[in-house]
Amino acid sequence: MIICYINRLLENFMAKAEVIQNNQVVSMHYTLKDIDGNVIDTSDGQEPLTYLHGAGNIINGLETALVGKAVGDTLTVTVEPKDGYGDASPELVQKVDKKMFEGVEELEAGMVFQVQGDDGQSQRISVKEVGAEDVTVDGNHPLAGMTLKFDVGIVALREASETELEHGHAH
Ligand code: ZN
């Protein structure tokens, strides 16, 4: 009898102590700002972001800061480029022949294209500058080199299913 009672107490304790750790599926609302406080992205008014913790689904700096947090917790996380999207590398800014964009109407700075690299990987590039004959393109992640501020609220937490663990992402 006593053992049953203790087991039940332990179960309750475990349930309450449930916090973010590897192999858990986390749902959270977030607002991402740059260091000047400009909003870059937010889940406000949308479904929360759901990810598999410990699988590298989200940037390292944010994932690390979420360890040990529970449903209802809110936090602000500052992520330096090295723990985010890395530094912007100047080599990824290149001039290419304008002919590469033949067929694109009204090519202008700020446009984003999906291109196939030599290794077959697809990559996003953004147009920096449109010249008479060349176009300057940037293959860096749009958030590379930026210090990011996340306001996060944890809304749900559960164990991942076996399929999710196999796939390395939340379903
Ligand atoms: Zn899957």
Side-chain angles (χ1 to χ4, degrees), residues 163-164 167-171:
T163 323
E164 286 174 321
H167 289 198
H169 55 232
H171 286 163

Side-chain angles (χ1 to χ4, degrees), residues 74-139:
T74 57
L75 63 157
T76 298
V77 186
T78 303
V79 179
E80 301 294 333
K82 69 174 169 57
D83 300 315
Y85 294 95
D87 288 319
S89 39
E91 311 91 77
L92 293 180
V93 180
Q94 294 175 352
K95 270 195 170 147
V96 298
D97 197 321
K98 204 173 183 177
K99 285 190 186 121
M100 278 183 66
F101 294 93
E102 237 167 25
V104 179
E105 278 173 49
E106 294 175 52
L107 185 65
E108 57 184 20
M111 284 178 145
V112 175
F113 295 89
Q114 200 82 27
V115 294
Q116 200 94 296
D118 298 334
D119 52 5
Q121 292 271 4
S122 77
Q123 194 199 346
R124 271 167 57 114
I125 57 161
S126 59
V127 174
K128 285 275 176 211
E129 212 184 309
V130 182
E133 280 167 25
D134 332 291
V135 178
T136 308
V137 296
D138 187 350

